[in-house]
Amino acid sequence: MNGSLLLSQFLNGLQLGALLFLLASGLTLIFGIMNFINLAHGSLYMIGAFLGASAYNASGSFGFAILAAVCGSGLVGVALERVVARPLYRHDHLYQVLATFGLMMFFNELASVIWGSRPYYAAIPPALRGSVAVFGTDYPVYRLLIVGVGALVAAGAWFLIQRTRFGMLTRAGASNAPMASVLGANVDRLKTLLFLLGAALAGLAGALAGPILSVQSGMGEPVLILALVVIVVGGIGSVRGTLVAALLIAMIDTLGRAFLPDLLRSAFDSSVANAVGPALASMLIYILMAVVLAFRPHGLIFAARR
């Protein structure tokens, strides 16, 4: 096994883990703390990607593109909370799933109308197009930027939830919303702010992923499935668990797809390995989720310990 290739795939796993954390951290806040299932969260990621790409193509400023994606997705998230989520908080999860699934279809069609059905071009800024040596292996600067942003957001999310008044009120509202309301907390405003935060993080993930992935209608669904796996494995409502699970799942998925077919070739016929390897590699994260649900149904890190 080539050491340079192994390091490159390890860094690819870190980059994917950072993106998954940005998306899944917002989803786990909305799902775990607000007890609201938002299948339209992937659409907020898609909106961030489109807004970021459009803003960059129009202005040439990467900073403005990120700001446009974060603010635009955040505002859409607030609108969704006010119009769709708030009336459904007291209803069964089935209603939430049906409503947000319909929103997901709506946003996909809306994106096709506005930006077209073909992939929309999003460029990497010239200053971030080069590579740097990481332990002797060249690796793209832009992908390292994504890893750095993920680390900063993880630190910021932990500080916000654990060390601020907003985090204290949020945890109190999640534990007992009526009691928190009686003690003076504006629970409705807290839910709106949490939706805003989750949507903004999804938009940030989309804007960062745009230049390295295909920006197109429906791009939110595959990554939403991965985000759901992350929050189930990490523990619903646990930001720390989401970080651990995002990195773990990203590493298993990246390294499995890169090396599992070659490992199978050493034990089986090449035709069998070529057929089974990619399929088995794509199943690894779901096998992990099944094992976690069997032995730790609340996730690797309980939400109560976040």
Side-chain angles (χ1 to χ4, degrees):
M1 184 180 296
N2 188 296
S4 178
L5 176 60
L6 178 61
L7 179 58
S8 295
Q9 294 300 329
F10 176 81
L11 292 173
N12 285 338
L14 281 181
Q15 175 253 303
L16 177 60
L19 282 178
L20 284 179
F21 173 74
L22 289 175
L23 182 66
S25 58
L27 186 61
T28 200
L29 288 173
I30 294 171
F31 189 9
I33 296 178
M34 298 167 60
N35 196 32
F36 183 83
I37 301 177
N38 181 23
L39 294 186
H41 198 73
S43 298
L44 297 171
Y45 166 86
M46 178 188 69
I47 290 170
F50 273 114
L51 290 178
S54 300
Y56 180 76
N57 291 338
S59 66
S61 171
F62 184 65
F64 176 71
I66 295 296
L67 181 63
V70 170
C71 293
S73 299
L75 291 176
V76 173
V78 170
L80 291 183
E81 195 277 333
R82 294 291 182 88
V83 177
V84 178
R86 187 168 294 185
L88 295 176
Y89 284 143
R90 292 182 174 86
H91 289 274
D92 188 81
H93 284 159
L94 177 62
Y95 293 93
Q96 300 169 5
V97 168
L98 292 175
T100 54
F101 181 80
L103 282 173
M104 180 175 64
M105 297 294 101
F106 168 77
F107 281 122
N108 285 343
E109 293 303 318
L110 182 63
S112 296
V113 170
I114 297 175
W115 286 283
S117 57
R118 294 182 178 180
Y120 189 77
Y121 179 70
I124 296 177
L128 300 173
R129 289 177 187 171
S131 300
V132 294
V134 180
F135 298 108
T137 299
D138 288 337
Y139 196 74
V141 173
Y142 187 78
R143 291 178 180 267
L144 290 177
L145 172 69
I146 294 175
V147 175
V149 171
L152 288 176
V153 170
W158 175 85
F159 182 82
L160 180 67
I161 297 298
Q162 298 291 335
R163 293 291 185 267
T164 66
R165 177 176 173 81
F166 172 78
M168 178 189 69
L169 293 175
T170 298
R171 286 180 279 119
S175 300
N176 194 325
M179 181 61 69
S181 181
V182 168
L183 294 176
N186 189 331
V187 176
D188 288 338
R189 185 172 63 183
L190 285 173
K191 289 181 177 180
T192 301
L193 291 175
L194 277 174
F195 227 99
L196 169 64
L197 178 61
L201 289 175
L204 175 60
L208 291 173
I212 59 175
L213 299 176
S214 178
V215 180
Q216 59 185 343
S217 175
M219 65 180 290
E221 280 84 336
V223 75
L224 174 66
I225 294 173
L226 287 177
L228 289 172
V229 173
V230 166
I231 66 173
V232 169
V233 171
I236 296 174
S238 171
V239 175
R240 186 174 58 178
T242 299
L243 176 61
V244 172
L247 293 174
L248 179 62
I249 286 172
M251 288 297 176
I252 290 175
D253 187 63
T254 302
L255 297 178
R257 292 177 187 273
F259 299 114
L260 185 59
D262 289 335
L263 292 176
L264 290 177
R265 288 189 191 99
S266 63
F268 301 98
D269 184 76
S270 295
S271 60
V272 175
N274 291 335
V276 175
L280 183 58
S282 65
M283 294 168 55
L284 289 177
I285 59 173
Y286 304 106
I287 294 173
L288 171 65
M289 182 176 68
V291 171
V292 170
L293 287 174
F295 295 98
R296 294 184 66 88
H298 295 290
L300 296 177
I301 301 178
F302 291 175
R305 299 178 183 175
R306 63 181 179 274

